[in-house]
Amino acid sequence: MIDLKQYEVWFVTGSQHLYGPETLEQVAKDSRAIASALDASTTIPVKVIFKPVLTTPEAIHELCLEANSAKNCVGLITWMHTFSPAKMWIAGLSLLRKPFLHLHTQFGREIPWSEIDMDFMNLNQSAHGDREFGFIGSRLRLNRKVVVGHWQDEEVQSEIGVWTRAACAWADWQGARIARFGDNMRDVAVTEGDKVEAQRRFGYDVYGYGVGDLVKAVGQVSDAEINQLVQTYLDEYEVPSALMSGGEKYAAVCEGARIEIGMRNFLSAGNFKAFTTTFEDLYGLKQLPGLAVQRLMRDGYGFGAEGDWKTSALVRAMKVMSAGLPGGVSFMEDYTYHFDGGSGDKVLGAHMLEICESIAAGKPKLDVLPLSIGGKADPVRLIFDANTGPAICASVMDMGQRFRMVASVVDVVPTEAPLPKLPVARALWLPRPSLKVAAAAWIYAGGAHHTGFSYAVTADHLRDFADMAGIEFLLIDENTSLDDFRKELRWNDLYYHLANGVIH
Ligand code: MN
């Protein structure tokens, strides 16, 4: 469902006329070589397209306009091989609506000590040319990523790759449609927010539907389609005999399949990328969608429970950022604690049902069990332990005048004993630097109980993404000091208040 190869970044080199045609030809040749090396890099998931060297304000302006309207262009990589007087860039950069990365590199890795002359110095000027370009970016107060190093270095290419993934997720959000079945869970605060401001800031649109619209789609599913999907369940999961044909829970499995097909048809017909459900709004649906949500998430849909459209959008963005990388992405909730004294304090993450199977350690088990909330029939769901290893939890909140993203780096560990009576998928983790610091920081930041959770997405992806959105990014990791974090919150409140102005 998510193919990053459809996207491209444009490699844009700045220069000026003073150098004469011979030097400019060499600049173009070197730039083409860099662009094609980046295009071939396995850590950069999109096409890198070489663009002709820019030497006039008119050409720069034209290129930026073209980038804005190019559907598959997710951003620009800019580089000044020579000096490119930056007043030439003001008009273009001021109207550029796509993210850009400033690659501060040099064509040749080393100084040719015995050969270097003034011709060499005239050609290889990025050390000062990129500073001139950097100034105008800062002077125009533009968010952008600066990557420094030789273009052939693995680390440099990897940083470009991370930024590119964030840019793809940002492009994916623009014009994205999110379906909301039912409204917000009654009385819940953090899942609410200003959808008009979200659309202005983030580009996605949230469409509300009565559950009856979904019930209608679910009612149109044929028995033949259900039988076929139930067979897929038998092929993909560990299925107890009670859930098989003739078993006492078989009818519930068929109902789960009916809900999955109906939801899938609804989402695909409406060209939706993400959705929400609410266990309080299920009128006419026999079960809370559990398995259906788990499988739709696996296929790339964003999801948020209890009407949580912000987390649904974030999960979708994280799915796009991590496309093709090992390690999955899921909707998640901090559920229960294990306090065993300081450094071993852990979080058990889970939800009522809706954890994505892309994070499963082994083959998930299918089961039908009571929900004990919501008063509906027993829903079918997948049960599994999540993979172990480093992961990240992230959340976006509406703070009133603006949005804030907070992320927490954690280490997922095996459970200390089997959990035979816990009927939901789960992950057990140690937050960095400790639960004591991380949970306090998260709570001071107003972080939600719902998160997007991933082993593939890193703080670097999320920071780049937040920068593209122009929102605050707070990171809780091994370097977090609670004292500094609380100061950062206060300073950021002031910064964003001033930066946004009184009328915005
Ligand atoms: Mn929840």
Side-chain angles (χ1 to χ4, degrees), residues 305-306 331 333 351 449-450:
E306 289 100 49
F331 172 72
E333 180 167 302
H351 202 255
H449 53 285
H450 286 165

Side-chain angles (χ1 to χ4, degrees), residues 214-404:
L214 177 58
V215 169
K216 196 174 155 205
V218 168
Q220 286 165 348
V221 176
S222 72
D223 288 345
E225 288 172 292
I226 292 172
N227 290 338
Q228 199 184 349
L229 185 56
V230 170
Q231 186 55 49
T232 304
Y233 296 164
L234 294 175
D235 295 341
E236 292 185 11
Y237 309 121
E238 187 193 318
V239 183
S241 58
L243 276 69
M244 294 180 186
S245 178
E248 65 195 69
K249 295 175 172 178
Y250 180 67
V253 175
C254 291
E255 190 56 34
R258 177 189 297 283
I259 292 172
E260 176 181 338
I261 297 165
M263 279 188 120
R264 199 177 281 277
N265 289 344
F266 187 100
L267 294 171
S268 130
N271 200 21
F272 292 104
K273 291 175 173 171
F275 66 104
T276 70
T277 59
T278 307
F279 71 93
E280 280 182 333
D281 296 333
L282 292 177
Y283 191 83
L285 272 189
K286 291 184 182 153
Q287 305 173 4
L288 171 65
L291 174 65
V293 172
Q294 292 178 295
R295 287 171 53 82
L296 286 162
M297 250 194 285
R298 179 199 69 180
D299 294 341
Y301 284 99
F303 174 74
E306 289 100 49
D308 189 348
W309 49 273
K310 294 193 298 300
T311 303
S312 177
L314 179 62
V315 169
R316 166 66 186 190
M318 292 168 77
K319 291 273 180 193
V320 175
M321 283 176 218
S322 64
L325 296 177
V329 175
S330 181
F331 172 72
M332 187 59 75
E333 180 167 302
D334 295 75
Y335 223 101
T336 299
Y337 284 146
H338 180 69
F339 281 122
D340 72 354
S343 63
D345 290 351
K346 299 175 188 73
V347 181
L348 185 67
H351 202 255
M352 287 157 68
L353 303 173
E354 311 92 335
I355 301 299
C356 177
E357 61 172 291
S358 67
I359 66 166
K363 196 175 193 180
K365 181 186 170 195
L366 196 67
D367 214 341
V368 175
L369 295 156
L371 193 60
S372 69
I373 187 168
K376 286 282 172 175
D378 299 350
V380 59
R381 82 286 301 273
L382 295 171
I383 303 170
F384 54 84
D385 287 319
N387 277 311
T388 55
I392 200 159
C393 310
S395 156
V396 173
M397 296 79 64
D398 183 338
M399 302 307 288
Q401 300 84 11
R402 64 198 171 83
F403 293 97
R404 159 182 286 171

Side-chain angles (χ1 to χ4, degrees), residues 24-84:
L24 286 176
E25 241 167 69
Q26 191 59 45
V27 167
K29 199 170 154 235
D30 294 348
S31 299
R32 199 183 285 276
I34 297 178
S36 76
L38 298 182
D39 184 55
S41 167
T42 51
T43 54
I44 300 172
V46 303
K47 291 179 217 139
V48 179
I49 310 285
F50 168 80
K51 289 284 166 184
V53 176
L54 301 172
T55 56
T56 66
E58 292 76 17
I60 292 166
H61 184 254
E62 195 59 36
L63 184 280
C64 292
L65 281 176
E66 203 190 318
N68 284 349
S69 57
K71 212 165 158 252
N72 295 332
C73 171
V74 299
L76 308 183
I77 298 177
T78 55
W79 173 53
M80 306 303 123
H81 191 324
T82 56
F83 199 76
S84 178

Side-chain angles (χ1 to χ4, degrees), residues 172-188:
D172 179 76
W173 263 14
Q174 306 314 306
R177 292 159 58 86
I178 299 177
R180 201 162 182 244
F181 299 118
D183 202 274
N184 200 62
M185 180 179 167
R186 292 181 266 288
D187 277 337
V188 176

